Amino acid sequence: MVGTNLDPFSDRYAERTHGMNVSEVRALFAVASRPEVVSLAGGSPFVSALPFDAVGSMIDELVRNQGAQALQYCVGQGDLRLRELICQMMALEGISASAENVVVTVGSQQALNIVARVFIDPGDVILAEAPSYVGALSAFMASQADIVHVAMDDDGLIPAALAEAITAVRASGRTIKFLYTIPNFHNPGGVTLAEHRRDEILQICRDAGVLVLEDNPYGLLGFDSEPSRALRARDEDNVIYLGSFSKTFASGLRVGWVLAPHAIREKLVLISEAEILCPPTFSQFIVAEYLTTQPWQQQLKVFRELYRERRDAMLDALGDMFPAGCTWTVPSGGFYVWVTVPEGLDTKAMQPLAVSERVAYVPGIGFYADGNGRRNMRLSYCLPPPERIREGVRRLAGVLEQQLELVETFGPSAFQATSPGDGPRSWISGPSADQV
Amino acid sequence: MVGTNLDPFSDRYAERTHGMNVSEVRALFAVASRPEVVSLAGGSPFVSALPFDAVGSMIDELVRNQGAQALQYCVGQGDLRLRELICQMMALEGISASAENVVVTVGSQQALNIVARVFIDPGDVILAEAPSYVGALSAFMASQADIVHVAMDDDGLIPAALAEAITAVRASGRTIKFLYTIPNFHNPGGVTLAEHRRDEILQICRDAGVLVLEDNPYGLLGFDSEPSRALRARDEDNVIYLGSFSKTFASGLRVGWVLAPHAIREKLVLISEAEILCPPTFSQFIVAEYLTTQPWQQQLKVFRELYRERRDAMLDALGDMFPAGCTWTVPSGGFYVWVTVPEGLDTKAMQPLAVSERVAYVPGIGFYADGNGRRNMRLSYCLPPPERIREGVRRLAGVLEQQLELVETFGPSAFQATSPGDGPRSWISGPSADQV
């Protein structure tokens, strides 16, 4: 980092901050947020589909009638009424749970963070899909974990790969604290863990004494079917479950939750109180009011239809315009498509050119702790309308064609000067809202 | 902790959770929240003094006109418009700052937590007043700090005691990461750092190369004078400043901030993103709207008058009713009076009796990391109206009289069976909202 040697505090920071720096990617994203750029980068939900008039009136009433409670501190575990409503919501995925074991958090990012702090000592291993959510990697690494990636395919996490990874890590003498997995509409992978693999994965973990951390922000945003039965619904003793209202209602409220076995839940509350005292009371009251007074299931349907249309627009555009040799996943819900580009291309090195061509994406390396992902990019279809998605894909296709020509002319070394390989990283910069 | 041996995960938790347990005090506070109990325990602001109708309408407008931004993710550092308004607010205390160096946090508790995580390795020393804010101790201990307390008197932190503590800690071979101080209307001490000591304290820290963490949630809630000039206003290179809207507007929004030298600020943002992705956008937009469209300075005056009246009610009641041998501080702002009871009494042992007599307070030991504080209690006057404060003090005086009689009859050993001495603690349970 330029200027580090001028930092008068450089000898005082904690060990966990080492390797932490402001990524160049950030500066690019600042440019990418200009209106002329089509951003396929962010995971921001399309909140404009909400009925703002009805929500505004509802909140007005809330302040007038319950201001004294809604604007005051609440208990660290979160508002009891909301926790009960959360249990009703989780029942849609087959989960039977008590409000007593739910902890409300500042989005599921804080849930990831408190789980990390309750379990991870420096050097502990966390198993995570390859690729995995950048925000989770970031939370785990802030607790000085080592991430070991486990392969996925179109059916999600591969059971045999998981079993092998557990054996290999243990043979190396290291301790596994948990498996982190996003079973539904994976971020960034776009795939879903197949029904027939779910019990097998859980069995492998139970047999090996490995806890499972199930992250499920998109579970109710499937396009084709009823919600899948959650891992937590199949094993309540060995699964910690994370949920969020960021994608189903409003990300700016920052309300998520964690459901955990009782002994773990007690520790999560104490760490959360040390971190934030209590989650935003006002946001919690708003969510509880929304779930009890507004037609939220109908609104979910609106979101699902809207995202399905955008997913179709993206898949069509990719099929029509992306150069031969590119492949991508076909999500049946959620926000993301994971693209693999032909050998010789480097999605990180290519990014500045893409931004100059007025299209943004997230390079694959952000989703790996081991430096992989240079041939991948995450494209999201959640925020721009279909015609903008098509235009973005068109611009990106142009960039890819240009790069492929360069590679054909000069060979893959064309990129090596500007883009040294990344090894394992001690810190994943991010997440920013662009990488959610 | 009862049942620990039944916890199937007991061998998997991180080192930092050791010693963490649910304090008995918590169970008592649950009882203390019953309406028949006068709570002099909590630090909850009297939000009912806010004009709920005006605030409700303001928020309704906000959702209708700016819903797409207000309900969406924002940047991890916090909304720029709010950060600029925060700089204007800090100018009231003589601070000149750029929005670029402000990080918005989930209340100042999260600010304490991210500062802790940026600086503290296990075993590092944090200097803190004796007593100090329980939430800060909790955040520092969650990063495995050792707390070394420094004496205060009625003029706040004692410069000579600070200089001695620095020398002693260094002689023991340990590293001091910063001095944590609440200069104005101390929580729980109720005292204010005298004007003539401010530059001296800063000079001692600068000379010794010790960073200063200035926590100032109550600075604008002084009863008798203009706001004091902040430590940050006197030394911008060596002071990290924390502020909050919890006491001046609404605690349930969870909006605080940290102002830090640039190099530190960059790291704070990265840790904050790993913890919560971004602070609640909606809360931030509400605060920004409030500061630009509502008469907030006039509302502050309403709060000051209200708290002054309650402070007076408490001091009068203490003078009228507390038994001889009790002493207390006289706050000129903020929420708290710090009481010292006669030798032989034990405020922790006495607490269940007090609750059964329908009055609650926070025992002094919560505010020390070294087991001190058994002859102290924190009384807060922020939430109950004057006549309830008087009634609470009356009940508490009765409990004290009763205890004093026991001590006279049986000697101080009357309490020793039920209340073993606490040594240094590795974890401070809390804060709960009752201990803010």
Side-chain angles (χ1 to χ4, degrees):
Chain A
M1 192 174 99
V2 179
T4 291
N5 54 346
L6 298 177
D7 177 357
F9 308 100
S10 56
D11 57 339
R12 304 198 213 168
Y13 298 119
E15 185 85 31
R16 71 177 63 81
T17 69
H18 294 176
M20 198 171 164
N21 58 37
V22 181
S23 111
E24 321 114 64
V25 178
R26 284 301 174 83
L28 271 176
F29 278 119
V31 179
S33 67
R34 293 186 191 157
E36 68 270 23
V37 175
V38 177
S39 179
L40 307 175
S44 300
F46 188 68
V47 290
S48 295
L50 288 168
F52 289 143
D53 288 3
V55 172
S57 300
M58 179 195 85
I59 299 176
D60 185 7
E61 287 293 300
L62 173 65
V63 173
R64 283 168 206 266
N65 301 329
Q66 301 176 64
Q69 295 77 46
L71 296 171
Q72 187 59 275
Y73 294 112
C74 69
V75 294
Q77 187 174 354
D79 180 57
L80 178 59
R81 178 175 164 229
L82 177 61
R83 286 187 278 124
E84 284 165 352
L85 290 163
I86 285 170
C87 289
Q88 289 173 29
M89 203 163 184
M90 290 190 293
L92 298 176
E93 297 175 323
I95 293 174
S96 157
S98 151
E100 204 204 340
N101 292 328
V102 173
V103 184
V104 181
T105 54
V106 181
S108 61
Q109 186 67 35
Q110 199 218 349
L112 288 164
N113 190 60
I114 58 177
V115 170
R117 293 188 79 196
V118 161
F119 284 100
I120 302 173
D121 283 317
D124 281 344
V125 169
I126 304 305
L127 303 174
E129 284 131 354
S132 184
Y133 170 49
V134 61
L137 301 182
S138 174
F140 303 156
M141 284 174 153
S143 287
Q144 295 163 272
D146 286 345
I147 310 293
V148 172
H149 287 290
V150 182
M152 286 197 290
D153 60 21
D154 285 347
D155 281 341
L157 193 66
I158 301 169
L162 173 63
E164 272 167 42
I166 293 172
T167 306
V169 170
R170 294 212 163 140
S172 75
R174 292 184 296 169
T175 303
I176 300 170
K177 284 298 171 77
F178 51 80
L179 164 70
Y180 169 70
T181 179
I182 307 170
N184 300 315
F185 322 125
H186 193 274
N187 178 6
V191 299
T192 290
L193 184 62
E195 186 68 22
H196 66 273
R197 283 189 181 171
R198 296 195 171 213
D199 289 329
E200 193 180 352
I201 296 279
L202 288 167
Q203 188 68 47
I204 291 169
C205 287
R206 239 185 348 254
D207 290 349
V210 170
L211 251 177
V212 177
L213 179 57
E214 174 181 28
D215 190 4
N216 191 28
Y218 309 99
L220 299 181
L221 293 173
F223 305 145
D224 307 316
S225 57
E226 290 301 293
S228 293
R229 202 155 165 258
L231 300 181
R232 167 58 175 74
R234 301 158 195 258
D235 183 348
E236 67 180 84
D237 297 326
N238 199 45
V239 177
I240 300 175
Y241 175 97
L242 308 186
S244 173
F245 291 102
S246 290
K247 272 61 178 194
T248 53
F249 180 25
S251 48
L253 297 173
R254 314 301 299 118
V255 181
W257 72 89
V258 48
L259 166 67
H262 191 78
I264 296 172
R265 191 279 288 161
E266 286 188 334
K267 293 199 177 347
L268 292 173
V269 171
L270 291 172
I271 278 276
S272 182
E273 288 171 338
E275 288 194 351
I276 58 154
L277 192 58
C278 66
T281 318
F282 194 55
S283 292
Q284 293 179 77
F285 272 61
I286 291 170
V287 174
E289 282 296 292
Y290 180 75
L291 294 178
T292 43
T293 69
Q294 307 292 311
W296 67 273
Q297 299 241 33
Q298 237 168 291
Q299 181 62 39
L300 263 185
K301 217 166 145 185
V302 170
F303 279 129
R304 277 194 297 260
E305 287 307 312
L306 188 135
Y307 294 132
R308 181 219 296 271
E309 188 192 359
R310 292 173 183 199
R311 187 256 336 237
D312 290 344
M314 177 168 281
L315 292 178
D316 288 351
L318 289 172
D320 292 349
M321 295 184 272
F322 256 36
C326 292
T327 59
W328 51 86
T329 54
V330 176
S332 55
F335 288 5
Y336 312 105
V337 171
W338 182 248
V339 175
T340 305
V341 299
E343 210 174 323
L345 296 196
D346 180 327
T347 57
K348 189 189 171 197
M350 203 179 85
Q351 198 192 21
L353 180 62
V355 171
S356 76
E357 297 289 338
R358 294 164 299 133
V359 60
Y361 60 86
V362 185
I365 56 158
F367 303 98
Y368 288 88
D370 57 10
N372 274 320
R374 289 194 168 264
R375 279 183 55 203
N376 298 106
M377 56 173 89
R378 191 193 72 181
L379 302 184
S380 63
Y381 49 79
C382 42
L383 198 58
E387 63 281 9
R388 289 284 285 175
I389 291 174
R390 200 167 171 87
E391 176 58 27
V393 170
R394 184 195 317 280
R395 292 176 189 173
L396 197 46
V399 173
L400 286 167
E401 299 281 11
Q402 214 178 317
Q403 298 285 294
L404 281 168
E405 263 175 51
L406 275 177
V407 172
E408 268 167 46
T409 313
F410 299 104
S413 62
F415 297 105
Q416 282 170 6
T418 53
S419 134
D422 287 342
R425 287 178 287 166
S426 62
W427 183 268
I428 295 249
S429 158
S432 72
D434 288 301
Q435 299 171 321
V436 176
Chain B
M1 192 173 100
V2 178
T4 291
N5 54 345
L6 298 177
D7 177 357
F9 308 99
S10 57
D11 57 339
R12 306 198 211 167
Y13 298 119
E15 186 85 32
R16 72 176 65 78
T17 69
H18 295 175
M20 197 170 165
N21 57 38
V22 181
S23 112
E24 320 115 64
V25 178
R26 284 301 174 83
L28 273 176
F29 279 120
V31 179
S33 67
R34 292 187 190 157
E36 68 270 23
V37 175
V38 177
S39 179
L40 307 175
S44 300
F46 189 68
V47 291
S48 296
L50 288 169
F52 289 143
D53 287 3
V55 172
S57 301
M58 179 196 86
I59 298 175
D60 185 8
E61 287 293 301
L62 173 65
V63 174
R64 282 168 205 266
N65 301 331
Q66 300 177 64
Q69 295 77 48
L71 295 171
Q72 187 59 274
Y73 294 112
C74 69
V75 295
Q77 186 175 354
D79 180 57
L80 178 59
R81 177 174 164 230
L82 177 61
R83 286 186 277 124
E84 283 166 352
L85 290 163
I86 284 171
C87 290
Q88 290 173 30
M89 203 164 184
M90 290 191 292
L92 299 175
E93 298 175 323
I95 292 174
S96 156
S98 151
E100 204 205 340
N101 292 327
V102 173
V103 183
V104 180
T105 53
V106 181
S108 60
Q109 186 67 33
Q110 199 218 351
L112 288 164
N113 190 61
I114 57 177
V115 170
R117 293 188 80 195
V118 161
F119 284 100
I120 302 173
D121 283 317
D124 281 344
V125 170
I126 303 305
L127 303 174
E129 283 130 356
S132 185
Y133 169 50
V134 60
L137 300 182
S138 174
F140 303 157
M141 284 173 153
S143 287
Q144 296 161 270
D146 288 344
I147 310 293
V148 172
H149 286 290
V150 182
M152 289 197 290
D153 61 20
D154 286 347
D155 281 342
L157 194 65
I158 302 168
L162 173 62
E164 274 167 40
I166 293 172
T167 306
V169 171
R170 294 212 163 139
S172 74
R174 292 185 295 168
T175 303
I176 299 170
K177 283 299 171 77
F178 51 80
L179 164 69
Y180 170 69
T181 178
I182 306 169
N184 300 314
F185 323 125
H186 193 272
N187 177 7
V191 300
T192 290
L193 184 63
E195 185 67 22
H196 67 272
R197 284 188 180 171
R198 296 194 170 214
D199 289 331
E200 194 181 351
I201 297 279
L202 287 168
Q203 188 67 49
I204 290 169
C205 288
R206 239 183 350 252
D207 290 350
V210 170
L211 251 177
V212 176
L213 179 57
E214 174 180 29
D215 190 4
N216 191 29
Y218 310 98
L220 298 181
L221 293 174
F223 305 144
D224 307 315
S225 58
E226 291 300 294
S228 294
R229 203 155 163 255
L231 300 181
R232 168 58 175 74
R234 301 157 196 260
D235 183 349
E236 66 180 83
D237 297 325
N238 199 45
V239 177
I240 300 174
Y241 175 97
L242 308 187
S244 173
F245 291 103
S246 290
K247 274 55 180 200
T248 52
F249 180 24
S251 48
L253 296 173
R254 313 302 299 120
V255 181
W257 71 89
V258 48
L259 167 67
H262 191 80
I264 296 172
R265 191 280 287 161
E266 286 188 335
K267 293 199 180 341
L268 292 173
V269 170
L270 291 172
I271 278 276
S272 181
E273 288 171 338
E275 288 194 351
I276 57 153
L277 192 59
C278 67
T281 318
F282 194 54
S283 293
Q284 294 178 75
F285 273 61
I286 291 170
V287 174
E289 281 296 292
Y290 180 74
L291 294 178
T292 43
T293 70
Q294 306 292 312
W296 67 273
Q297 300 241 32
Q298 238 169 289
Q299 181 62 40
L300 263 185
K301 220 168 143 184
V302 170
F303 279 129
R304 277 194 297 260
E305 287 307 313
L306 188 135
Y307 293 132
R308 182 220 294 272
E309 190 193 356
R310 292 173 182 201
R311 187 257 337 237
D312 291 344
M314 177 167 280
L315 292 177
D316 288 351
L318 289 171
D320 293 348
M321 295 183 272
F322 256 34
C326 291
T327 59
W328 50 86
T329 55
V330 176
S332 56
F335 288 5
Y336 311 106
V337 171
W338 181 247
V339 175
T340 305
V341 299
E343 211 173 323
L345 296 196
D346 180 327
T347 57
K348 189 190 170 195
M350 202 178 83
Q351 199 193 19
L353 181 62
V355 171
S356 75
E357 297 288 339
R358 293 164 300 131
V359 59
Y361 60 86
V362 184
I365 55 157
F367 303 98
Y368 288 88
D370 58 10
N372 275 318
R374 288 194 168 262
R375 280 183 53 204
N376 299 105
M377 57 173 89
R378 192 193 73 180
L379 302 183
S380 63
Y381 48 80
C382 41
L383 198 59
E387 63 281 9
R388 289 284 284 172
I389 291 174
R390 199 165 172 89
E391 176 57 26
V393 170
R394 182 194 320 279
R395 293 175 188 175
L396 197 47
V399 172
L400 285 166
E401 297 284 9
Q402 213 178 316
Q403 297 285 295
L404 280 169
E405 264 175 51
L406 274 177
V407 171
E408 267 167 47
T409 312
F410 300 103
S413 62
F415 297 105
Q416 283 170 6
T418 53
S419 134
D422 289 343
R425 288 178 286 166
S426 62
W427 183 270
I428 295 250
S429 158
S432 72
D434 289 299
Q435 299 171 321
V436 176

